[in-house]
Amino acid sequence: MFNVRVVTPEASERNFKSTQINISTPNGQMGILSHHMPLVTKISISLLTSLHDGQRTRYAISGGVLFFQDNEATIMADAFEHEGEIDLDRAEKAKQRAEKRLKSADQNIDFKRAELALLRAINRISIKG
């Protein structure tokens, strides 16, 4: 078992114990177990799962960085939400807004930002749905 510490700009620090976490990185899926070797990796906008006492818990993560050392995982992310915290209606509206922006002919639109907003909304919807 190891400690997972999540730091986001919007919320206070979150801590929980886990025997395994599964993350998506730009290089593929990765599982982290207790006493994993030291690691630093990017995390993609995706589902993060945690296993503790035989229970799997699901989180929406908006990308970020994971540091693992001395049997502690530290995750720094823009947003990190338990599946029960996700507001499905809000996520669907965010998806519609992002899609509308991406279809816009307005040259002042930040398309990369709109694409990321769309990916975050789709991620939340798929985890909650």
Side-chain angles (χ1 to χ4, degrees):
M1 183 162 322
F2 58 94
N3 188 52
V4 179
R5 185 170 71 106
V6 181
V7 180
T8 63
E10 298 296 319
S12 60
E13 186 176 297
R14 183 185 302 221
N15 291 287
F16 57 91
K17 298 285 185 191
S18 185
T19 54
Q20 177 180 350
I21 57 173
N22 296 299
I23 59 171
S24 293
T25 73
N27 296 321
Q29 298 291 319
M30 179 179 286
I32 308 287
L33 300 169
S34 293
H35 305 291
H36 194 286
M37 67 180 204
L39 171 74
V40 177
T41 187
K42 288 175 127 182
I43 302 174
S44 301
I45 295 171
S46 61
L47 166 70
L48 180 143
T49 62
S50 172
L51 186 63
H52 180 63
D53 290 337
Q55 296 283 77
R56 188 164 302 278
T57 307
R58 297 161 36 105
Y59 300 91
I61 188 164
S62 66
V65 179
L66 175 135
F67 301 93
F68 190 91
Q69 186 172 357
D70 298 329
N71 222 29
E72 179 174 89
T74 301
I75 298 170
M76 297 188 340
D78 288 334
F80 186 85
E81 300 166 280
H82 181 275
E83 65 184 324
E85 299 170 337
I86 297 170
D87 181 338
L88 188 57
D89 185 51
R90 182 174 168 237
E92 288 172 349
K93 288 177 181 173
K95 179 179 179 268
Q96 291 169 359
R97 281 192 310 272
E99 288 173 334
K100 184 177 178 181
R101 280 190 212 113
L102 288 170
K103 290 178 185 174
S104 172
D106 185 354
Q107 296 299 312
N108 294 323
I109 296 294
D110 183 344
F111 285 98
K112 184 65 176 172
R113 184 173 171 213
E115 285 174 342
L116 290 173
L118 179 60
L119 288 174
R120 287 190 300 269
I122 291 170
N123 184 50
R124 286 181 175 113
I125 291 166
S126 70
I127 291 169
K128 183 69 175 188

